Amino acid sequence: MKKSVFKNITQIGVLALVFVITLPGFIMAGDSQTVVKKHGWKTPITTENWPVDPAKLHLAGAPHSLIGLTLEQIVTDPNIQIRPDAASCMDCHDWAEEMTAESFCPRIDDFITTDQDGEGPKPQVLKDILIDWKNRNCPD
Ligand code: HEC
């Protein structure tokens, strides 16, 4: 009698142990299915995290599409040209190459409203992307 009670307790113990060991695996599997990381300073813009017509992410006349680029690349890389005039940010702004997420974030409000001294407004798609980034506190 005593022996079988002990055996039951052992079985329950083993089952509980198996459950506890496998639980984190289930939780992690659930996570990786649901989370698409939003774009950021070092996280690229993708068709998953910025779901608009992909054609809108490649401005007419621009050498590069925004898809697959990080904000850091768009702002600081002199070889990246996402604007219709095929200019990089650095071509007009000396400060662009030295930008960090922290130093570029406070410039977004002016980016949204500038008419570029009469040259016309900045690309709308880039405004939308930067507003969203700022609303999330400019993450990496
Ligand atoms: C053809 C030249 C030109 C290019 C290329 C250009 N800009 Fe500008 N930008 C201007 C002008 C002109 C202004 C308004 C005057 C000013 O403040 O410098 C301006 C204003 C800004 C401002 C607000 C003012 C400030 O200094 O914070 C930001 C931010 C900005 N641009 C970011 C960018 C980024 C990012 C890119 C690249 C995607 C870019 N610009 C590409 C000409 C340009």
Side-chain angles (χ1 to χ4, degrees):
M1 187 61 184
K2 247 193 173 167
K3 213 176 182 184
S4 82
V5 168
F6 180 72
K7 204 178 159 199
N8 279 344
I9 290 171
T10 312
Q11 281 174 344
I12 291 166
V14 168
L15 281 175
L17 196 65
V18 168
F19 181 71
V20 167
I21 289 170
T22 52
L23 196 61
F26 285 119
I27 293 169
M28 304 249 284
D31 262 355
S32 66
Q33 274 166 5
T34 49
V35 173
V36 174
K37 204 156 188 292
K38 295 278 254 157
H39 71 271
W41 192 246
K42 290 178 189 292
T43 307
I45 297 155
T46 67
T47 49
E48 284 80 38
N49 66 24
W50 199 258
V52 297
D53 177 359
K56 292 213 171 91
L57 294 170
H58 197 159
L59 301 172
H64 301 112
S65 165
L66 292 163
I67 299 171
L69 294 179
T70 65
L71 294 180
E72 182 177 42
Q73 285 175 303
I74 292 167
V75 178
T76 68
D77 189 334
N79 299 313
I80 297 290
Q81 300 142 339
I82 53 91
R83 291 171 40 118
D85 58 7
S88 73
C89 307
M90 228 207 97
D91 288 340
C92 294
H93 302 293
D94 289 341
W95 48 257
E97 204 172 14
E98 269 118 53
M99 283 294 109
T100 63
E102 289 72 29
S103 59
F104 188 63
C105 195
R107 288 183 183 261
I108 308 275
D109 286 343
D110 287 340
F111 184 91
I112 304 312
T113 53
T114 184
D115 71 349
Q116 300 186 102
D117 296 339
E119 280 179 65
K122 305 285 194 187
Q124 186 59 46
V125 65
L126 197 53
K127 287 185 183 175
D128 294 344
I129 285 171
L130 291 176
I131 291 169
D132 184 83
W133 183 60
K134 189 176 174 241
N135 287 342
R136 289 183 285 116
N137 294 317
C138 304
D140 264 2

